[in-house]
Structures are given as C-alpha cells and as structure tokens.
Amino acid sequence: GLRVPLPDGWKATAVGGDLHAGPQGRAVLKLEKTQRPLPTLEQLLAAVEGQGAVPQQKESISSFVGVRYSISVDGDDAGRRDAFLGVRQTGPRTIWCSTTASARRDEVEAAMTVCRSLSWEG
C-alpha cells in the first residue's frame, strides 16, 4: 500500500477515495490517487499560473514534480497565501498532492516534504 510519512502531530483520514492529512482537527494536505501520468514541470506550472498564482519554487525529478506558489485571497494581492501542488509517481500509482486554503506557510513546507517522500510498498 501507500506509505505516507507524516510529521509529528499530523493525522491522515480517508475521505472518499482521497486521503486528507494535517495537524489534529485540520486538513491541510489532500492526496488523490489517479491513473494519469506524471505531468511535466511545464504542465504543472501552466496549471498554477492559469489560476493567477505566482510560482515561488519548483522541482522536477524522474518521479516527482512540484510547484510551491503564492496566490491572492479574494483577489486581494495584499492577502496572498502560500500553496503547493505536486505529483509523485510511486510504484503503480500517481499521487496528486495539494494543500488546502487553511494551510499555513510552515504546513505548506511540510506538505511538500510529505508528497516528495511518498512510497509504495507491496
């Protein structure tokens, strides 16, 4: 199965076919298993920028592609928040990872680490 290494104090909960993770009582990361292939960094950047977001950090290796970005809240550039979208290919699965609107900056960083560290056992 899917191995999800969570930071101390985080919990994971199955919601439908997805997995939501975060500190007790808050979901800050959504993991979605798909059959879609690993996108290119350019495809992921286009998706993020198409939503009006500004990429802050990007990473692409053979089994992982991710973009950390900032996006305005309610169209207010002064109220920008950090977010993350990434995809990890592990074993037979492609896992899409995305932070939720409630994720704080340090939680976005932790979510990136979780997504990057996903593995498949069995």
Side-chain angles (χ1 to χ4, degrees), residues 96-118:
W96 285 70
C97 311
S98 59
T99 53
T100 65
S102 66
R104 296 188 306 251
R105 180 169 289 191
D106 62 321
E107 294 165 341
V108 171
E109 188 69 37
M112 290 173 57
T113 300
V114 168
C115 190
R116 206 181 287 120
S117 304
L118 294 171

Side-chain angles (χ1 to χ4, degrees), residues 21-90:
Q24 186 67 36
R26 290 181 50 240
V28 298
L29 174 63
K30 179 180 171 185
L31 304 172
E32 175 189 359
K33 291 185 289 188
T34 71
Q35 299 298 323
R36 295 177 289 186
L38 190 71
T40 65
L41 179 59
E42 291 75 23
Q43 289 170 322
L44 210 59
L45 280 169
V48 166
E49 290 170 336
Q51 298 298 312
V54 178
Q56 302 294 321
Q57 178 183 349
K58 52 192 173 193
E59 182 177 346
S60 180
I61 58 174
S62 62
S63 61
F64 173 78
V65 60
V67 178
R68 182 178 183 155
Y69 58 94
S70 66
I71 191 161
S72 65
V73 178
D74 298 325
D76 178 10
D77 278 346
R80 295 187 79 78
R81 67 173 175 84
D82 282 356
F84 168 74
L85 177 63
V87 186
R88 173 89 163 103
Q89 180 73 48
T90 179

